[in-house]
Amino acid sequence: MGRSRSSSPVGSITSINEQDLPIEENNTNNYITTPPYPTAPALISCRSVDNYEKLNRIEEGAYGVVYRARDKETGEIIALKKLKLDKEKFGFPTTSLREIQMLLMAKHPNIVDVKEIAIGSDINKVFIAMEFVEHDLKSLMEEMEDPFLQSEIKTIMLQLLSAVALLHNYWIIHRDLKTSNILMNNKGQIKLADFGLARRFGSSMNKLTPLVVTLWYRAPELLLGEKNYTKAIDLWSIGCIFAELVNKAPLFPGTTEIEQINKIFKLLGTPNEKIWPGYEKLMSTKSFTFGNYKYNNIRSRFPFLSENGLDLMSKLLTYDPEKRITAEEALKHPYFKESPLPKDPSMFPTFPSKANGEKLVLLFLFKKRKRKF
Ligand SMILES: Nc1ncnc2c1ncn2[C@@H]1O[C@H](COP(=O)(O)OP(=O)(O)O)[C@@H](O)[C@H]1O
Ligand SMILES: [Mg+2]
């Protein structure tokens, strides 16, 4: 089959249909139907990874190694994520299949663009070739001396929310939103990445695994073992990311599930059946008890955030997932319309890129920049 990279950018592992994806547990919930798949690019044959020259290793994560590489044919610099397939005994792993499928479906200016799937010397070596993005928010914030400006945070949040709104519209839950999975290029554009845990909801709504989302960003319903969770779990993570952007420090850096829950309760107050119907039922399955914190102390953590900013944060960090704000609603929040207005991405400062292997000598440029909105 011929290859046309401009019109249909992705290689094939034959075609991927929803019925090919294993359902985690029995689907007993028949009244919800998943909407049809959005159009994904046509699947075509795979190129070999030999068409790329590896330049440097960017990062080794939970599911794969990521390299910066050059397309030998076009000279284009891309990122190559090698999927970890070796532990899989029975065929192609579900997580990788899902990751590829979700990334193909979700085309959006703020979602990392997949160029093609390339294969190595054997079928166990599979690579996702994506656009190269200079930074991820975690590494960037580690290098920065001061937090992002409010105008910059608004731009980052708007882009993130708009990417997640699209996913949720397609009935996809990302399930691993955190700063290291949010990439940012040197034009101030956010590119959501790492769809290793993403999955469609609806067709098999019942009994999803609650063991998703990195602990610090994990919603309370997941921590309490909820298996019928919804896309609202992504919005909780976005609340934690928003807080981290404001303070340049993680909001709830727990080391165990119990500590994680306690940190949340301590800041937001211990929930009850009145503010979160269903809470007691979830709690009844737990053998441990938590501190009884009467008050919500969120203001104390963000003394300089505007009332609107704090309102948005509280709506994202709402206990009851049914009452938690949606991505679409959050995009319309007054916080984004008040002064200082979101900064045009093209006005973002350029940061030296660790992923690019650039020396951090330019760091002082943004370490010393003046604090102004
Ligand atoms: N397209 C990309 N461009 C540049 N760096 C990337 C790209 N994709 C991922 N990375 C870097 O690699 C890291 C790990 O990638 P990720 O897809 O999150 O893998 P994992 O599933 O192992 O966490 C990211 O945190 C980021 O630093
Ligand atoms: Mg990751």
Side-chain angles (χ1 to χ4, degrees):
M1 209 191 295
R3 185 173 58 83
S4 151
R5 295 187 64 214
S6 50
S7 56
S8 45
V10 177
S12 72
I13 300 173
T14 67
S15 65
I16 302 165
N17 298 311
E18 181 158 38
Q19 57 268 31
D20 298 332
L21 291 175
I23 290 169
E24 288 182 19
E25 301 207 17
N26 284 341
N27 173 16
T28 51
N29 192 350
N30 290 325
Y31 59 88
I32 296 176
T33 5
T34 317
Y37 267 68
T39 12
L43 293 164
I44 47 160
S45 57
C46 287
R47 285 207 302 167
S48 159
V49 74
D50 291 342
N51 288 298
Y52 295 99
E53 179 195 349
K54 279 184 196 158
L55 298 174
N56 60 284
R57 182 185 274 230
I58 303 172
E59 197 72 63
E60 172 143 17
Y63 294 103
V65 190
V66 184
Y67 301 93
R68 193 169 69 101
R70 180 185 289 118
D71 185 329
K72 289 180 187 165
E73 207 176 282
T74 63
E76 190 187 1
I77 300 292
I78 55 113
L80 262 186
K81 178 170 176 177
K82 180 167 186 258
L83 299 174
K84 276 191 184 151
L85 309 182
D86 31 5
K87 289 199 195 91
E88 198 65 25
K89 291 195 193 95
F90 306 105
F92 205 80
T94 327
T95 46
S96 311
L97 207 53
R98 285 214 184 102
E99 176 161 14
I100 294 169
Q101 185 202 28
M102 299 302 161
L103 274 167
L104 294 188
M105 278 164 60
K107 291 281 167 201
H108 184 275
N110 300 118
I111 295 178
V112 72
D113 189 37
V114 175
K115 307 218 169 265
E116 66 172 340
I117 307 299
I119 49 162
S121 46
D122 61 71
I123 185 69
N124 288 327
K125 297 203 177 96
V126 179
F127 297 81
I128 305 180
M130 311 167 256
E131 64 179 311
F132 172 77
V133 190
E134 286 87 351
H135 316 278
D136 67 66
L137 287 184
K138 180 168 181 274
S139 318
L140 196 51
M141 280 195 282
E142 278 166 6
E143 300 296 341
M144 290 165 65
E145 203 161 78
D146 297 315
F148 284 106
L149 304 174
Q150 276 296 309
S151 56
E152 293 165 348
I153 293 174
K154 287 180 190 177
T155 303
I156 293 172
M157 286 290 290
L158 282 173
Q159 296 183 68
L160 175 61
L161 284 165
S162 114
V164 172
L166 175 106
L167 293 185
H168 289 179
N169 223 357
Y170 285 174
W171 293 56
I172 296 171
I173 317 184
H174 186 282
R175 304 202 302 182
D176 200 14
L177 294 177
K178 57 177 171 176
T179 48
S180 61
N181 289 340
I182 303 170
L183 311 178
M184 190 169 100
N185 67 17
N186 271 336
K187 292 181 199 135
Q189 289 164 333
I190 288 302
K191 304 279 176 175
L192 182 55
D194 198 353
F195 282 60
L197 282 176
R199 66 165 297 163
R200 295 250 292 174
F201 59 98
S203 59
S204 56
M205 275 291 279
N206 274 355
K207 308 229 172 81
L208 297 164
T209 170
L211 287 176
V212 289
V213 191
T214 307
L215 196 56
W216 297 357
Y217 305 86
R218 199 178 294 167
E221 64 270 27
L222 290 173
L223 290 163
L224 296 179
E226 176 64 86
K227 291 191 176 123
N228 292 320
Y229 56 83
T230 64
K231 57 190 175 175
I233 63 162
D234 282 346
L235 276 305
W236 179 275
S237 308
I238 294 179
C240 299
I241 293 163
F242 181 21
E244 191 165 337
L245 290 169
V246 174
N247 281 350
K248 209 173 84 64
L251 180 65
F252 301 125
T255 48
T256 62
E257 288 195 4
I258 295 180
E259 196 197 339
Q260 187 68 28
I261 298 173
N262 252 316
K263 278 188 187 296
I264 296 173
F265 287 5
K266 210 168 173 182
L267 188 72
L268 304 177
T270 306
N272 55 47
E273 191 64 20
K274 202 166 138 229
I275 64 156
W276 180 5
Y279 166 72
E280 272 167 20
K281 188 158 171 253
L282 279 177
M283 274 309 288
S284 63
T285 62
K286 297 279 159 201
S287 51
F288 37 83
T289 49
F290 303 106
N292 189 14
Y293 303 100
K294 284 212 172 69
Y295 302 104
N296 179 320
N297 297 313
I298 194 163
R299 168 51 88 197
S300 64
R301 287 285 272 280
F302 306 96
F304 302 114
L305 190 60
S306 70
E307 282 306 318
N308 277 327
L310 201 71
D311 182 74
L312 175 60
M313 179 112 47
S314 307
K315 288 186 164 133
L316 290 163
L317 299 175
T318 292
Y319 278 122
D320 183 353
E322 301 253 314
K323 298 193 199 104
R324 205 171 293 151
I325 197 167
T326 66
E328 290 283 358
E329 287 162 0
L331 281 166
K332 296 187 202 123
H333 195 277
Y335 170 64
F336 298 113
K337 302 202 178 71
E338 73 178 6
S339 176
L341 289 173
K343 186 184 255 185
D344 188 316
S346 65
M347 302 300 283
F348 267 59
T350 308
F351 305 109
S353 163
K354 212 166 134 188
N356 221 340
E358 278 174 17
K359 292 243 162 46
L360 296 182
V361 283
L362 288 173
L363 262 182
F364 73 96
L365 279 180
F366 69 95
K367 271 190 175 169
K368 294 215 180 311
R369 69 202 173 114
K370 290 262 181 305
R371 308 299 304 159
K372 69 173 163 50
F373 292 112

